[in-house]
Amino acid sequence: MTARKKRIRKAVLPVAGLGTRFLPATKAMPKEMLTVVDRPVIQHVVDEARAAGIEHFIFITGRNKGVIEDHFDSQFELERTLAERGKKSELELLSRDLPDAGQTSFTRQQAPLGLGHAVWCARDIVGEEPFALLLPDMLHHADTPCMADMIRAYDKHGGNLVAVSPVPKDQTHLYGIVGVENAKDKVSPITKMVEKPPRGTAPSNLHITGRYILQPEIFDLLSQQERGTGGEIQLTDSMIRLMDEARQPFHAVRFDGDIYDCGSKIGFLLANVAYALARDDLGPSLKAELRKMV
Ligand code: UTP
């Protein structure tokens, strides 16, 4: 089957996970609303998608995630108070971040059955077009946003794409790993894909980082609801079938920036430091304070 080359307009953002690694912070608050400097993690990821030209944001939410919907809505009382107090720059900041009416959709994954199941929940909203998928807890920090790189690669190659980045060889069993035709190329055809390969069997050390462009046929495979590793419906299992059985092309796009897993405590702490150090208003003073501290 030849993959169609339609423009990527929609992004799926699965935010229905339980965030157990971050308890007790995530008992009542979604982990996606934890702040990296002064923006919720999910806002950083929406910023990345917007910078890549995405026009519609599809959030897969669950219980206790209503505050994410509120975050992407206008806050009438707050805006009126800011206007009355002449707080123009704060008002501008809020309006800059606000998606236009109709640019967001929210649907619930009623039980956290796995990432593959969360993505499948978006099938009717995505429809028959390729779409971007961004895992919101994985922050990709770089001068050129990762998704913008991927859309450029999609414009050239079409099909399906996943962002990849090297991990130490003794950690490949923890990730989805791909083998590629030429690991030195920024964009290379994927020859093999495997979820959490047993130690010593990984086809490379390139792990799937949480940014994807997928063709809508993935939904047919996800609808079979097959359970994989950990009893969850895994996205990687359906991607492997899309590549091996449906013969759809997959390319890896190497991401050269820094990745912070904000679902883990250390990743979250490092993200805060890195994002603050990169800012003109905070970087110099934070650097000086950190030098004193460590
Ligand atoms: P994670 O496995 O990192 O999220 O899933 P989690 O389950 O919330 O984390 P822990 O292990 O309990 O701490 C990656 C992404 O997929 C979403 C999560 O919200 C996260 O953004 N996800 C995962 C869902 O939306 N639904 C699921 O069933 C599983």
Side-chain angles (χ1 to χ4, degrees), residues 14-21 31-32 109 112-115 118 135-137:
V15 292
L18 298 178
T20 53
R21 283 171 294 159
K31 68 174 170 181
E32 297 81 8
Q109 183 191 23
L113 300 179
L115 176 61
L135 303 196
D137 42 4

Side-chain angles (χ1 to χ4, degrees), residues 40-229:
V41 171
I42 187 75
Q43 181 73 62
H44 286 284
V45 180
V46 166
D47 292 346
E48 180 191 331
R50 270 181 140 182
I54 296 294
E55 295 163 3
H56 195 107
F57 305 90
I58 302 163
F59 296 87
I60 314 300
T61 73
R63 287 182 64 249
N64 284 339
K65 303 279 181 167
V67 66
I68 297 176
E69 197 164 342
D70 292 340
H71 178 76
F72 290 103
D73 194 4
S74 65
Q75 264 271 19
F76 177 70
E77 290 86 355
L78 174 63
E79 284 155 24
R80 195 177 54 187
T81 307
L82 290 174
E84 280 167 6
R85 295 184 185 173
K87 303 239 175 212
K88 277 193 183 155
S89 60
E90 287 83 353
L91 264 176
E92 267 167 33
L93 183 74
L94 292 186
S95 82
R96 210 172 48 228
D97 288 345
L98 190 66
D100 283 345
Q103 278 195 319
T104 52
S105 297
F106 296 83
T107 188
R108 281 200 179 202
Q109 183 191 23
Q110 288 139 345
L113 300 179
L115 176 61
H117 183 262
V119 173
W120 178 72
C121 293
R123 64 199 179 282
D124 285 342
I125 309 175
V126 170
E128 288 298 311
E129 55 184 285
F131 61 99
L133 167 65
L134 299 95
L135 303 196
D137 42 4
M138 303 303 288
L139 285 190
H140 288 54
H141 197 216
D143 293 337
T144 312
C146 181
M147 189 46 73
D149 262 355
M150 292 189 68
I151 290 194
R152 254 192 304 279
Y154 170 82
D155 289 341
K156 190 162 175 207
H157 299 279
N160 304 268
L161 300 100
V162 297
V164 299
S165 156
V167 286
K169 286 216 167 77
D170 61 355
Q171 288 179 22
T172 49
H173 63 288
L174 301 172
Y175 299 95
I177 300 286
V178 299
V180 294
E181 268 180 22
N182 190 344
K184 289 203 180 103
D185 290 348
K186 169 90 182 164
V187 183
S188 182
I190 295 179
T191 51
K192 195 165 172 53
M193 195 183 296
V194 47
E195 180 66 28
K196 299 191 176 70
R199 284 173 193 274
T201 66
S204 82
N205 68 336
L206 294 174
H207 85 294
I208 300 174
T209 69
R211 299 290 182 271
Y212 313 76
I213 288 174
L214 295 170
Q215 296 294 324
E217 287 79 12
I218 192 82
F219 294 122
D220 300 337
L221 296 163
L222 288 171
S223 70
Q224 296 172 17
Q225 314 255 319
E226 281 168 16
R227 307 273 176 150
T229 315

